[in-house]
Amino acid sequence: MPPRRNRVLPGTAKPRRFRPRFHYELLACGVRGHELVGIDAAHLRAEDALFAREMAGARWHRCLRCDSWLPLAPPREPTREYPPPAAEIRLPLRGKTLRDKVVLRVIAVDRALHFVILGLLAAAIFLFAAHEDSLRRGFYRIFTDLQRGVGGGPVQTSHIGLVRELDRLFSLSSGRIKLVGLGVSAYALLEGVEAIGLWLQKRWAEYLTFLATTIFLPLEVYELTKRLSWFKIVALVVNLAIVLYLLLAKRLFGLRGGAGAERADRDADLAWSVLQETAPERLAPVAG
């Protein structure tokens, strides 16, 4: 694969636009720490110069993720003579591959929250269906007592918003309420499957999330035509962004090269040639 040209190290160039470029490598290293090799080795060799070297009496180690060089003291009790060869080093995620992992996990967290909320809602619906008769009697008794306490007449549920909705709910049969609970449970299960698949970066989960989100977009637009709210607007914008990201950035349905281009990008980001391009000086190619 031909080398990428003009690669800029994360955090080394001033932004040329109002919105600075976000480097996921710096985020990952800030959260998980740098990926350093050879910090437990007693000695360094010339072939290790790509990721570890001794200069001016100091030992410098290169982060394989964000390209930072850190001066560290040699280990007092080394566990190996030399750093492992390149063939044994597993390069961390970088570039677009790392970005996709972070974004997919953010979507996975969103889907996990939906799973929890819908699961609790389904449990509440089934609990309501199991005690519908007693809840109905208690509701009408309490509301009638309140009306009499303020000098009201008989119960009028057709003109009061909350009471009207509760009256409609109590008018449903127990079987229909259970069907609603089953529907909410199925939706919660779908969200849970999406969350697990996206967290594990499975291709099938990307398709499942795209289809499930796209199907509900017309319903969200219809709800906005009935009543506007910031919550509905934000939810629609977020879901539209997820759909566009999965469709374009993740190259679903063969767009922009499809899965083949996705694999090519991943191979390029995880190749030793990437580290060769951004080395302090030109080094001999590393086999690995």
Side-chain angles (χ1 to χ4, degrees):
M1 180 170 295
R4 299 181 179 184
R5 300 185 180 275
N6 300 324
R7 179 181 292 272
V8 179
L9 300 180
T12 60
K14 281 189 174 182
R16 298 181 180 179
R17 49 186 177 176
F18 178 75
R19 180 176 63 86
R21 181 182 176 186
F22 188 83
H23 290 282
Y24 289 87
E25 295 89 351
L26 299 178
L27 172 65
C29 287
V31 173
R32 305 182 60 182
H34 292 293
E35 291 282 347
L36 306 177
V37 178
I39 59 176
D40 58 345
H43 305 286
L44 300 179
R45 301 161 298 188
E47 55 264 36
D48 302 324
L50 188 60
F51 51 80
R53 60 181 67 182
E54 292 181 338
M55 295 181 297
R59 178 183 285 194
W60 293 79
H61 294 269
R62 182 186 191 181
C63 175
L64 300 182
R65 182 188 293 116
C66 73
D67 281 316
S68 298
W69 286 85
L70 292 86
L72 299 176
R76 295 182 178 180
E77 298 181 359
T79 59
R80 58 196 311 159
E81 187 69 17
Y82 301 107
E88 298 180 5
I89 299 175
R90 184 178 180 181
L91 293 178
L93 298 182
R94 300 163 54 100
K96 179 182 178 297
T97 307
L98 178 60
R99 181 206 69 187
D100 288 342
K101 179 179 180 180
V102 173
V103 174
L104 288 177
R105 290 200 165 180
V106 169
I107 301 174
V109 171
D110 173 73
R111 293 304 188 255
L113 290 175
H114 290 178
F115 167 75
V116 172
I117 294 172
L118 291 171
L120 293 175
L121 178 59
I125 291 174
F126 285 121
L127 185 63
F128 174 83
H131 301 85
E132 181 186 6
D133 292 337
S134 60
L135 290 173
R136 181 190 291 112
R137 290 192 300 268
F139 164 72
Y140 286 119
R141 183 177 64 252
I142 292 172
F143 188 73
T144 300
D145 291 342
L146 288 175
Q147 276 199 326
R148 289 174 178 172
V150 295
V155 179
Q156 299 291 333
T157 62
S158 59
H159 304 292
I160 305 175
L162 176 60
V163 178
R164 181 176 66 247
E165 297 302 324
L166 288 174
D167 187 49
R168 289 178 180 177
L169 179 61
F170 284 124
S171 66
L172 295 175
S173 65
S174 178
R176 183 169 295 184
I177 294 175
K178 289 179 180 178
L179 285 177
V180 174
L182 288 174
V184 175
S185 298
Y187 191 22
L189 180 62
L190 174 64
E191 297 286 86
V193 172
E194 290 179 39
I196 294 174
L198 291 174
W199 188 268
L200 299 177
Q201 295 182 273
K202 299 298 183 181
R203 188 71 171 175
W204 58 261
E206 297 171 5
Y207 279 99
L208 179 62
T209 302
F210 174 82
L211 294 175
T213 306
T214 304
I215 288 173
F216 287 100
L217 285 179
L219 179 60
E220 294 183 27
V221 174
Y222 174 72
E223 288 293 329
L224 281 174
T225 61
K226 294 176 61 178
R227 183 179 178 183
L228 285 175
S229 72
W230 282 110
F231 177 79
K232 293 179 181 179
I233 294 174
V234 171
L236 178 61
V237 171
V238 169
N239 286 332
L240 281 174
I242 291 174
V243 166
L244 291 176
Y245 168 78
L246 293 174
L247 190 62
L248 300 177
K250 298 300 294 179
R251 308 170 190 266
L252 299 186
F253 304 103
L255 291 180
R256 301 180 60 230
E262 180 86 5
R263 287 192 295 270
D265 280 347
R266 182 182 181 88
D267 292 341
D269 287 330
L270 298 181
W272 280 100
S273 59
V274 175
L275 297 178
Q276 290 280 352
E277 295 173 31
T278 54
E281 70 276 345
R282 193 173 186 84
L283 299 171
V286 174

